[in-house]
Each structure stands twice: as structure tokens, then as C-alpha cells.
Amino acid sequence: MLATERADPRYAGIEDLSTLDLARTMNEADASVSAAVAAVLPDVAAAIDAVADRLAKGGRLRYVGAGTAGRMAVMDAAECPPTFSTDPDLIKAVIAGGKAAEGGAVEGTEDDAAAGEAAMADDGIGPADAVVGLAASGRTPFVVAAVREARRRGALTVGLSCNTGTVLSEAAEHRIEVEVGPEVVAGSTRLKSGTAQKFVLNMISTISMVRLGRVYRNYMVDMKVANQKLAARAVRMIREITGAGPDEAEAALAASGNRVKTAVVMLELGVGAADAEARLERADGRLSGALAA
């Protein structure tokens, strides 16, 4: 039996625990996830380097999942455009059952291997792209079939599961097997398994964006300024990077068209918005490169 499906005897009496003790039990279980992820960080890093290389050369990243794993993928992909100003098509999630499955279960779709293959064909997945398949069990037919088809098409493939020696790992070029063990509620992989998958997805998307120059120091300088909170954050970033005063930073942000990197180059090099944009373009969008040129 898969480790993620086993019933752990330590949790056999949870219905008799007080709410506080049960919360402590779940918290202790969740605390073990970080160590499980730490144990496979070399595999995670190797996969990220390969993904970032595809993206740097103009490829796309696709997450493929079903159920909880699919919804984790949707969440991570959806945050990339506002955080890093990526094109919405650069990083997307493919979930078994489509849009209807994003908000709830669509029964039977995770078993449809043909749909997984078709999803890769419909999206035109090819050698330039990277596909990350997520399945806590490591055997979800929709996901495994999608990864196999993506690999057949020449795409980089990664299998992320929470068991070892899985079919998904065999199907993918890169394997990430995070051994979280049995869940507090047996088989409920939205718990530790879901947390582990989100941990790894955070790393894949964030570190890839760092490698692509969409982060400067530890600032999200490609962030979209879409509301008052983000406008205040943008001004704060500009001030902290350049040492400018609040009025100067606000004026530069406005003159840049709400583009943080452009505003920073304007202030640091004493140039106008058009010149700053040109310098960033020559530096492939990397703020460090534009400032050094």
C-alpha cells in the first residue's frame, strides 16, 4: 500500500482528542513536511535549473494535476502574472476536469489518461516547454499520461509525488519524491501531501523567476502595480533600492508608467523613462544589468 494511503496508528484516536490537542497533533504532523522537502532539495534544484533554462529560451511551463494537486497548481500559476508580470500563457495549470475542477471535485476525470494526452496535444507542448506533473500517489492516470505525452513530444518533464518508486517518477525525466508518510486522516492528501506540493511549487516558480531576472536583491521589481497597497509597496521598494525620498520615488513611478524597474533605472542613472526602458531591454529585463551598463 502507498505510504500516503496508510492509516497511521498514532492517529487512531483523534476523534477523542480535545480540539486543542488535535490542533497540536496536526501541527506536529505538518512540521515534518519541511524536513521531507529538505531531503529532496538536490532533486528540486536540478528540476528548477532545467525549467528555468527552458523559460529563458522562450519556452512555457505547465503544471498538470488532478484534485488537490491540480488546485495547488492553479493557485501557484495564477500568482505569477501579478507577482512577476509574466505573460498569462507563460506558466499555466492544466487540471483534470478543466475549470469546473478548480472549485470542487469532478469525479472520474483523474482516471482519464486519454484526456491527459489530449491536453498536451491541445496546448501544442513541444521541445521548448517544461511540464511538471503533480500527484501525491504518483499514479494518477491523467497526470502520468500527460507527462508521458509531453516527454514524447520532447518537452522537459518533472514528476512531483509524495511516494517513492512511482509510475509518475518513471514517466518523467526529473523525479521529486517527497516522502511525507501517512496523513493524520488516512488518505486525505490535501493535508501533508498538499502542503509539500505547495512548498515545491513555491520554489519552482519563485526560483525560476529569480533566475530570469524578475527579482532584484529580494524585491519583486516586476510586480504589477494594480492597487493602492501595491503602489505603496512599489514606492517603498524604489526608495529602499535608490535612497530616494517619498515624493521623488512617487514621481519616478508615475513617470515610468508604474514600472518599478524603470523607475529605479531613472533615479539611479538620471535618465528619462524611454532611456531607462531601452537600457532594460538591452539587459534582457535584468535590473542589475541595466544599472551596470
Side-chain angles (χ1 to χ4, degrees), residues 235 238 245-258 263 266-267:
V235 169
I238 293 167
D247 293 341
E248 189 181 12
E250 287 179 11
L253 182 63
S256 73
N258 281 334
M266 291 168 63
L267 290 170

Side-chain angles (χ1 to χ4, degrees), residues 3-284:
T4 51
E5 294 295 324
R6 290 202 310 265
D8 192 324
R10 292 179 298 172
Y11 307 131
I14 58 173
E15 71 272 24
D16 297 323
L17 296 177
S18 70
T19 300
L20 178 57
D21 284 342
L22 184 47
R24 284 176 175 147
T25 296
M26 291 189 67
N27 188 54
E28 288 171 1
D30 287 340
S32 69
V33 174
S34 182
V37 173
V40 296
L41 284 180
D43 296 331
V44 175
I48 292 171
D49 282 339
V51 168
D53 181 64
R54 288 296 204 284
L55 295 179
K57 294 176 180 176
R60 302 168 297 165
L61 171 59
R62 294 293 181 265
Y63 297 141
V64 182
T68 295
R71 286 184 279 277
M72 288 290 178
V74 169
M75 184 191 312
D76 193 81
E79 291 297 327
C80 289
T83 305
F84 303 111
S85 290
T86 56
D87 185 298
D89 190 53
L90 182 67
I91 302 174
K92 291 175 68 174
V94 178
I95 183 171
K99 285 286 185 182
E102 293 181 9
V106 179
E107 301 300 338
T109 55
E110 71 173 43
D111 295 329
D112 192 343
E117 291 180 4
M120 298 297 94
D122 292 345
D123 202 11
I125 294 299
D129 302 318
V131 174
V132 178
L134 300 92
S137 66
R139 63 184 184 187
T140 305
F142 178 91
V143 178
V144 173
V147 168
R148 282 177 175 157
E149 177 63 13
R151 190 170 185 179
R152 188 188 71 78
R153 289 168 166 267
L156 170 80
T157 53
V158 180
L160 171 56
S161 62
C162 294
N163 287 289
T164 58
T166 69
V167 177
L168 178 58
S169 292
E170 293 174 1
E173 180 181 349
H174 290 266
R175 63 180 63 190
I176 301 172
E177 298 178 331
V178 188
E179 296 183 73
V180 297
E183 303 285 2
V184 172
V185 176
S188 184
T189 52
R190 68 187 182 88
L191 300 176
K192 290 190 296 181
S193 295
T195 300
Q197 289 167 338
K198 187 62 174 75
F199 277 12
V200 175
L201 289 177
N202 284 346
M203 294 178 190
I204 291 173
S205 57
T206 303
I207 298 173
S208 291
M209 292 300 105
V210 172
R211 291 287 167 261
L212 292 177
R214 292 182 177 269
V215 175
Y216 178 71
R217 299 178 185 169
N218 63 330
Y219 295 107
M220 56 174 87
V221 290
D222 261 317
M223 168 192 83
K224 286 185 177 178
V225 181
N227 55 44
Q228 291 183 350
K229 178 192 75 173
L230 296 178
R233 180 183 296 166
V235 169
R236 186 168 62 250
M237 281 193 285
I238 293 167
R239 293 187 62 194
E240 290 176 359
I241 293 170
T242 67
D247 293 341
E248 189 181 12
E250 287 179 11
L253 182 63
S256 73
N258 281 334
R259 294 186 289 270
V260 173
K261 290 194 298 191
T262 303
V264 169
V265 174
M266 291 168 63
L267 290 170
E268 289 288 82
L269 301 184
V271 299
D275 192 355
E277 285 288 330
R279 289 169 184 263
L280 283 164
E281 185 174 351
R282 289 195 296 271
D284 294 324

